[in-house]
């Protein structure tokens, strides 16, 4: 598999993306194509004493900053690194695209360059989340801020297909994120979406509360992009805060330091269980290509995991699987234009 990596993506930019590519040289059979301003990439490779011929580079004249407007930048900076990577995917020169850059620009560029698969009204960003003894997948986490009920129904099909084909979950359960488990709870959107999901062929199990997403989660949790983005960042912050609190308390005295030494293997396993770094990136489900969006704070390890996930999605021909999963009877009346797209950076 050939994976295009946006060299300018993320809060750090080229140095961190180059680090990820260097880590993949000996660990993966896949070929990574760095897309960005060639002179800057070559300067970074030279600084690290990496032979230029060892890594593929495709030149892009411009880059999109994290503070830029998504759709406007995609159109005005036509030869930016995200657009060029998408064009490589469209032409078949690469099998997947990974970027830790402006998520709104990635979504907009994918829509403009790759287009939507038949039957999908709006694509969704989804991610696996650290859950106790289970595989849990959540969508949408930021692509569609204000969807209609029919779009949430489509998200259920997209999420279930991904959980089955890529995550290996047999007959995945699907739930709606709400403020209570009772059918009377929720707002107008969730109540309407619940009616559609109850009538679908999905293994729908009703509402799920935020507190249960990590402890007894359904295989797939469906929500709108506004709520999903907030829920994900709260979970990330909570996991990070707990790790910091434990470290502070264990370093507070010589007795607790000794205890920490004895429990080090246990803490390593706990960190592995709750660390978002191991998940890597979020697939953009519903476009004609394999696209993964990584967190702007992604470490090289997180980017490597995003590359692995993207390669896995390409190997199973993810767009074709998703297209087969979407029933033609789902509500596709809300046709999206790029101007309507609102994505949290």
């Amino acid at each position: 598999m050939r994976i295009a990596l946006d060299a300018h993506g993320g809060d750090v930019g080229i140095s961190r993306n180059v680090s990820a590519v260097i880590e993949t040289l000996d660990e993966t059979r896949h070929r990574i194509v760095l897309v960005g301003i060639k002179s800057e990439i070559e300067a970074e490779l030279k600084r690290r004493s990496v032979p230029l011929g060892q890594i593929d580079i495709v030149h892009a004249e411009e880059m999109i900053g994290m503070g830029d407007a998504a759709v406007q930048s995609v159109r005005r900076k036509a030869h930016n690194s995200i657009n060029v990577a998408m064009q490589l995917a469209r032409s078949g020169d690469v099998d997947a695209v990974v970027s830790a850059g402006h998520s709104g620009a990635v979504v907009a560029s994918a829509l403009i360059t790759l287009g939507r698969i038949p039957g999908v009204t709006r694509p969704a960003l989804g991610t696996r989340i650290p859950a106790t003894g289970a595989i849990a997948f959540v969508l949408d986490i930021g692509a569609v801020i204000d969807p209609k009920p029919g779009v949430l129904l489509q998200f259920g099909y997209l999420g279930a297909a991904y959980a089955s084909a890529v995550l290996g979950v047999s007959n995945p359960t699907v739930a709606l994120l709400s403020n209570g488990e009772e059918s009377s709870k929720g707002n107008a959107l969730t109540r309407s979406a619940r009616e559609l999901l109850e009538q679908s062929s999905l293994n729908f199990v009703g509402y799920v509360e935020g507190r249960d997403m990590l402890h007894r989660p359904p295989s797939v949790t469906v929500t709108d992009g506004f709520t999903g983005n907030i829920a994900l960042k709260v979970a990330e912050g909570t996991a990070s805060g707990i790790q910091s609190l434990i470290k502070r308390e264990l370093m507070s005295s010589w007795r607790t330091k000794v205890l920490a030494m004895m429990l080090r293997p246990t803490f390593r396993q706990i960190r592995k269980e709750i660390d978002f770094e191991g998940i890597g990136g979020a697939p953009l489900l519903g476009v004609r290509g394999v696209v993964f969006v990584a967190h702007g704070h992604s470490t090289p390890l997180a980017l490597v995991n995003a590359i692995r996930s993207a390669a896995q999605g390409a190997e199973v021909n993810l767009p074709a699987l998703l297209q087969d999963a979407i029933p033609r009877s789902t509500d596709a009346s809300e046709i999206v234009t790029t101007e309507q797209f609102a994505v949290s950076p």
Side-chain angles (χ1 to χ4, degrees):
M1 293 293 163
R2 287 168 58 86
I3 313 297
L5 177 63
D6 174 17
H8 300 288
D11 298 337
V12 177
I14 284 181
S15 63
R16 188 161 291 178
N17 287 287
V18 168
S19 295
V21 174
I22 292 173
E23 287 192 24
T24 65
L25 291 178
D26 297 325
E27 292 185 12
T28 178
R29 67 188 186 278
H30 307 297
R31 187 75 177 179
I32 312 303
V33 181
L34 269 173
V35 182
I37 300 172
K38 189 174 182 179
S39 60
E40 296 185 10
I41 296 173
E42 289 181 341
E44 181 64 22
L45 292 174
K46 184 177 180 181
R47 188 179 71 83
R48 294 166 179 256
S49 301
V50 178
L52 295 182
Q54 198 169 2
I55 295 175
D56 293 337
I57 301 173
V58 172
H59 177 63
E61 297 178 1
E62 302 168 293
M63 57 175 286
I64 294 178
M66 299 297 274
D68 291 344
V71 177
Q72 292 87 335
S73 297
V74 167
R75 286 179 167 166
R76 292 173 185 170
K77 299 180 178 180
H79 300 287
N80 69 77
S81 58
I82 297 172
N83 279 358
V84 173
M86 295 297 174
Q87 289 161 7
L88 291 173
R90 181 175 180 176
S91 64
D93 292 318
V94 299
D95 301 291
V97 174
V98 175
S99 175
H102 193 313
S103 58
V106 175
V107 174
S109 181
L111 276 170
I112 294 170
T113 308
L114 302 176
R116 293 171 288 115
I117 64 175
V120 170
T121 307
R122 291 195 174 194
L125 278 169
T127 186
R128 186 167 57 86
I129 58 174
T132 305
I135 292 178
F137 188 73
V138 179
L139 77 168
D140 179 36
I141 58 168
V144 188
I145 302 301
D146 191 18
K148 290 184 178 180
V151 173
L152 291 185
L153 173 62
Q154 290 185 355
F155 288 176
Y157 280 106
L158 291 172
Y162 185 84
S164 177
V166 178
L167 302 181
V169 181
S170 177
N171 192 25
T173 54
V174 178
L176 269 173
L177 182 60
S178 187
N179 61 335
E181 295 182 353
E182 300 86 356
S183 59
S184 60
K185 293 293 181 71
N187 54 20
L189 173 64
T190 55
R191 288 195 294 271
S192 297
R194 178 175 179 136
E195 292 180 7
L196 295 176
L197 285 160
E198 287 175 336
Q199 298 168 17
S200 74
S201 59
L202 293 166
N203 185 12
F204 181 64
V205 294
Y207 288 146
V208 62
E209 295 186 73
R211 67 185 180 186
D212 295 325
M213 287 176 63
L214 301 177
H215 300 293
R216 47 174 189 166
S219 307
V220 178
T221 296
V222 174
T223 186
D224 62 272
F226 180 81
T227 305
N229 190 273
I230 292 174
L232 179 66
K233 289 176 179 176
V234 168
E236 290 176 338
T238 301
S240 177
I242 290 173
Q243 291 182 62
S244 297
L245 179 62
I246 292 174
K247 183 177 180 179
R248 187 191 71 190
E249 292 301 316
L250 288 176
M251 295 296 105
S252 61
S253 70
W254 69 267
R255 291 185 178 87
T256 55
K257 288 179 181 179
V258 171
L259 178 62
M261 290 290 291
M262 295 171 61
L263 294 176
R264 180 173 292 178
T266 301
F267 289 131
R268 283 177 178 169
Q269 183 59 34
I270 292 174
R271 180 175 180 178
K272 184 178 179 181
E273 291 283 339
I274 67 174
D275 195 354
F276 281 82
E277 187 180 62
I279 293 171
L284 179 62
L285 304 180
V287 296
R288 293 176 180 267
V290 179
V291 178
F292 272 70
V293 181
H295 201 293
H297 298 303
S298 291
T299 63
L301 176 58
L303 289 169
V304 169
N305 286 323
I307 290 169
R308 289 172 178 158
S309 297
Q312 187 178 7
E315 287 173 344
V316 300
N317 195 0
L318 183 59
L321 287 172
L322 297 180
Q323 182 175 333
D324 292 341
I326 296 291
R328 296 297 179 264
S329 60
T330 56
D331 178 16
S333 61
E334 186 188 27
I335 303 301
V336 65
T337 63
T338 52
E339 287 83 3
Q340 293 174 302
F341 238 94
V343 184
S344 174

